[in-house]
């Protein structure tokens, strides 16, 4: 019962943070960037984040444990800048975000698996390592606060297959 309450509180916290941003959206098709389809080449765009200060989009490709840095200076013609492997930091990337000032954060499951603490890796706009900190078990959503100074992490605390290990769900706040 307590895990359900913590998960509900986590969802509410992230929902409230999202509502704080009062931007109006006027969506128009300008261009397209594709990293492939889910097949033997492992291509699939799973999670993305945009940084207006660099005009770059960061796109997670879960199957090959990487993310792409895409130049969107001309939205009608997105251009791949580089592909960054997250294997030096772990076995799976579960979320990506930017503070809109050239700082990227990625949530990574390390080799100990999703029932252990995840790593949050901070990178510069080019994907270069800055620092790494631990968060809760199976961090699956991260977002910077509107001022970009703190990172909020939803840690699912998902159990292993046999339910022999069932970590608590939690929220991490990284300054």
């Amino acid at each position: 019962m307590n895990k359900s309450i913590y998960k509900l509180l986590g969802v509410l916290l992230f929902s409230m943070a999202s509502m704080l941003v009062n931007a109006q959206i006027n969506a128009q098709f300008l261009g397209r960037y594709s990293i492939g389809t889910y097949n033997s080449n492992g291509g699939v765009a799973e999670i993305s984040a945009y940084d207006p200060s660099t005009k770059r989009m960061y796109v997670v490709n879960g199957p090959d444990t990487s993310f792409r840095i895409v130049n969107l200076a001309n939205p009608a013609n997105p251009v791949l800048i580089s592909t960054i492997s997250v294997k030096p930091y772990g076995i799976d990337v579960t979320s990506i975000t930017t503070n809109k000032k050239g700082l990227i954060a990625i949530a990574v499951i390390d080799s100990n698996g999703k029932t252990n603490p995840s790593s949050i890796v901070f990178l510069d706009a080019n994907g270069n390592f800055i620092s790494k900190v631990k968060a809760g078990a199976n961090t699956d959503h991260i977002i910077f606060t509107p001022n970009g100074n703190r990172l909020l992490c939803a840690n699912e605390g998902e159990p292993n297959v046999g339910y022999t290990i069932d970590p608590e769900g939690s929220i991490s706040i990284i300054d």
Side-chain angles (χ1 to χ4, degrees):
M1 179 85 172
N2 284 341
K3 285 186 183 184
S4 296
I5 291 170
Y6 285 122
K7 288 181 181 180
L8 178 61
L9 287 174
V11 169
L12 289 173
L13 175 68
F14 283 100
S15 295
M16 289 172 59
S18 297
M19 288 189 301
L20 291 176
V21 180
N22 292 323
Q24 291 185 356
I25 297 174
N26 181 12
Q28 297 177 31
F29 178 79
L30 296 175
R32 175 177 289 129
Y33 177 78
S34 175
I35 62 174
T37 57
Y38 190 76
N39 57 30
S40 60
N41 75 2
V44 62
E46 186 177 357
I47 304 159
S48 63
Y50 176 70
D51 183 351
S53 72
T54 61
K55 294 185 174 35
R56 291 179 175 184
M57 176 176 62
Y58 303 94
V59 184
V60 168
N61 184 5
D64 78 354
T65 317
S66 71
F67 69 92
R68 309 294 199 273
I69 302 175
V70 180
N71 182 341
L72 291 181
N74 177 1
N77 186 30
V79 176
L80 176 66
I81 295 172
S82 62
T83 299
I84 308 294
S85 173
V86 298
K87 289 182 182 178
Y89 316 114
I91 60 171
D92 189 17
V93 58
T94 58
S95 190
I96 191 165
T97 191
T98 175
N99 73 346
K100 314 293 189 265
K101 302 173 190 174
L103 181 66
I104 305 165
I106 58 174
V108 180
I109 305 294
D110 67 22
S111 60
N112 294 323
K114 67 181 180 179
T115 59
N116 290 297
S118 298
S119 294
I120 305 300
V121 180
F122 294 92
L123 308 159
D124 69 14
N126 296 312
N128 298 308
F129 178 81
I130 297 172
S131 66
K132 178 177 162 180
V133 298
K134 290 290 183 183
N138 197 27
T139 303
D140 196 38
H141 182 72
I142 57 177
I143 187 170
F144 279 99
T145 55
N147 66 7
N149 293 334
R150 290 195 173 101
L151 184 73
L152 307 176
C153 308
N155 309 308
E156 288 187 343
E158 190 174 321
N160 66 357
V161 174
Y163 282 85
T164 57
I165 302 172
D166 190 3
E168 291 286 326
S170 64
I171 297 169
S172 300
I173 302 172
I174 301 170
D175 192 11

